[in-house]
Amino acid sequence: MQLTDNINELAEALQQPADLTFELPDPEDDQIPESDFLKQVDVAWQVCDRFDLQTDIWRGRILRAVRDREKRGGDGRGTGFLHWLKEREISKSQAYSWIQLANSADTLLEEGKLEPKSINNFSKRAFVEAAKASPEVQQMVSEAAQKGDKITRREVKQLAEEWTAMSSELLPETVKEKAAENSLPARYIAPLVKEMEKLPEPHQNVIQQEIASNPDLDTLKQVTSEARSLAKYLKAAVQVQALNVQEVDIETALEEAQRVGCLSIAADLVNQASQLEQMIAKMYMTWKRINNLSDRLYVDTGASTPQLRFLLECLEPLGSEVMELQLGSAGERNIRLHIQETSDLPDGF
């Protein structure tokens, strides 16, 4: 009986329009100062934002319930859940985005970090950002929300940057002190920490020494750029077969590039080489696929399908060992590619 009453109450509530009636300022009224006009529309926008947040959290909870029910009594492949989504024209990615939002809300509520009424102080994007933040940042954001502060994505991002600047073990104490004094803005320190986390310890030590000896904004920007190039170089170098086959001393080459001031160029070169090798591998697999599909289609066609046969003839060069491609609308340049398959397996395999 209680369940029926709840369902009836919910259904009755849905018959009532949401209380989202605003008195928006007249955009053609020149008597309204620009600052007042923007303030009024911003308030209305924030209300809509919070309304969307509450709605999306409940959508996530509903979808989670449907999904979990399907896990208990479904076919084990989630077919029923996917069918439920299809009937309501909801994509799978959107559904799981809402479920993740609901999980984040419930986690914050269950751990006592957030009071239910405080959710209304968040914008939708701020809440999503807070859900992804570290526990320490979540705690600071929740405390601010519970005091009645309006939380936007900017506030969450700022708190996260400040926490990174003050807590990271990768930063020298002199940098942390300047961050606390705000003489080094946290928004410049956080990207450096993010890039340093990708580097091996020896490279971290070099950067630490550099910013410890010159803890100023210009040095911070410079080492952040260097750290980004270092991370890109090291990640790409491992993936380049041409370097692994020849056993190039990656670290020494890196040090030489730094010494002559061309680290970013070397990093870009290695990165482009990695992408080229990946494209070659992808092109080879596509070439094989074209051959297989062409063979299958040729077997299934004949004199009764002249245009289909003509299509096959036109595409045949793309499946041959030598392919030609014209670059430019007027064919100013021809590119010829020769694919030759080899095998390292011994005879008989």
Side-chain angles (χ1 to χ4, degrees):
M1 184 63 180
Q2 183 64 38
L3 178 60
T4 303
D5 290 342
N6 289 342
I7 292 174
N8 290 336
E9 288 175 8
L10 180 59
E12 192 174 319
L14 291 173
Q15 300 301 319
Q16 305 299 323
D19 186 15
L20 286 177
T21 303
F22 304 113
E23 291 187 9
L24 295 176
D26 185 352
E28 298 182 3
D29 188 349
D30 295 331
Q31 300 301 315
I32 303 176
E34 184 70 12
S35 58
D36 290 348
F37 176 85
L38 293 175
K39 185 176 181 180
Q40 290 181 53
V41 295
D42 188 50
V43 168
W45 185 268
Q46 289 180 26
V47 173
C48 292
D49 215 4
R50 292 196 294 273
F51 183 83
D52 284 346
L53 174 58
Q54 292 277 9
T55 302
D56 286 351
I57 289 173
W58 275 106
R59 279 177 172 151
R61 288 167 174 163
I62 294 166
L63 288 165
R64 186 176 61 199
V66 175
R67 183 202 62 187
D68 293 349
R69 180 75 170 187
E70 168 68 15
K71 285 181 178 179
R72 285 177 57 86
D75 58 7
R77 295 178 297 173
T79 306
F81 179 55
L82 295 177
H83 181 69
W84 196 91
L85 296 179
K86 186 176 180 181
E87 284 186 335
R88 288 155 183 81
E89 298 181 346
I90 302 171
S91 69
K92 187 176 178 181
S93 61
Q94 178 63 76
Y96 277 96
S97 174
W98 280 330
I99 290 174
Q100 184 180 25
L101 182 63
N103 289 340
S104 299
D106 292 344
T107 298
L108 290 174
L109 292 170
E110 288 169 6
E111 292 178 354
K113 294 179 180 176
L114 193 65
E115 295 293 332
K117 62 181 180 181
S118 299
I119 292 178
N120 289 330
N121 292 328
F122 285 83
S123 71
K124 181 179 176 182
R125 295 179 68 190
F127 191 84
V128 173
E129 195 73 21
K132 297 186 295 184
S134 66
E136 293 82 4
V137 174
Q138 288 180 350
Q139 185 66 41
M140 289 188 288
V141 171
S142 298
E143 288 173 358
Q146 285 164 191
K147 287 191 298 183
D149 295 348
K150 301 303 180 185
I151 309 298
T152 66
R153 183 170 177 266
R154 182 182 301 173
E155 275 80 32
V156 178
K157 186 178 179 183
Q158 181 179 343
L159 284 171
E161 288 172 345
E162 290 174 358
W163 173 255
T164 297
M166 298 304 299
S167 64
S168 176
E169 296 180 356
L170 296 176
L171 296 172
E173 288 302 321
T174 51
V175 174
K176 292 183 180 182
E177 290 171 4
K178 286 183 173 289
E181 300 166 358
N182 205 31
S183 57
L184 276 181
R187 69 178 182 274
Y188 291 107
I189 297 175
L192 172 60
V193 174
K194 182 179 178 182
E195 296 301 330
M196 287 180 68
E197 288 173 346
K198 304 174 185 177
L199 299 176
E201 188 174 345
H203 295 295
Q204 291 176 349
N205 293 337
V206 172
I207 293 175
Q208 288 168 345
Q209 292 170 10
E210 193 165 350
I211 55 177
S213 58
N214 297 291
D216 54 59
L217 190 55
D218 289 339
T219 303
L220 198 65
K221 292 179 179 179
Q222 178 189 336
V223 295
T224 300
S225 176
E226 289 179 359
R228 188 175 293 114
S229 295
L230 279 168
K232 186 187 297 184
Y233 178 97
L234 293 170
K235 180 181 178 182
V238 177
Q239 300 171 344
V240 178
Q241 291 186 24
L243 298 178
N244 295 331
V245 170
Q246 299 298 325
E247 297 183 355
V248 176
D249 189 336
I250 302 297
E251 286 291 335
T252 302
L254 176 60
E255 292 171 3
E256 292 173 351
Q258 283 182 293
R259 177 166 51 82
V260 298
C262 58
L263 176 60
S264 61
I265 299 175
D268 195 28
L269 172 62
V270 174
N271 189 46
Q272 292 297 324
S274 174
Q275 293 184 36
L276 179 60
E277 286 190 343
Q278 292 174 34
M279 284 190 287
I280 291 172
K282 185 175 181 180
M283 185 187 71
Y284 171 73
M285 297 306 296
T286 304
W287 177 74
K288 293 284 288 184
R289 181 71 173 157
I290 286 177
N291 274 309
N292 292 336
L293 293 172
S294 297
D295 291 344
R296 287 168 56 187
L297 196 56
Y298 184 84
V299 171
D300 294 338
T301 59
S304 64
T305 56
Q307 287 302 315
L308 197 53
R309 276 298 177 95
F310 185 51
L311 180 147
L312 275 171
E313 290 177 14
C314 293
L315 296 179
E316 184 180 3
L318 293 176
S320 64
E321 289 189 357
V322 179
M323 294 180 289
E324 288 193 9
L325 180 68
Q326 290 185 346
L327 293 184
S329 56
E332 297 92 347
R333 181 175 297 178
N334 287 340
I335 303 297
R336 180 176 295 175
L337 300 174
H338 182 196
I339 295 181
Q340 184 176 1
E341 294 185 272
T342 61
S343 176
D344 293 332
L345 292 175
D347 294 338
F349 281 80

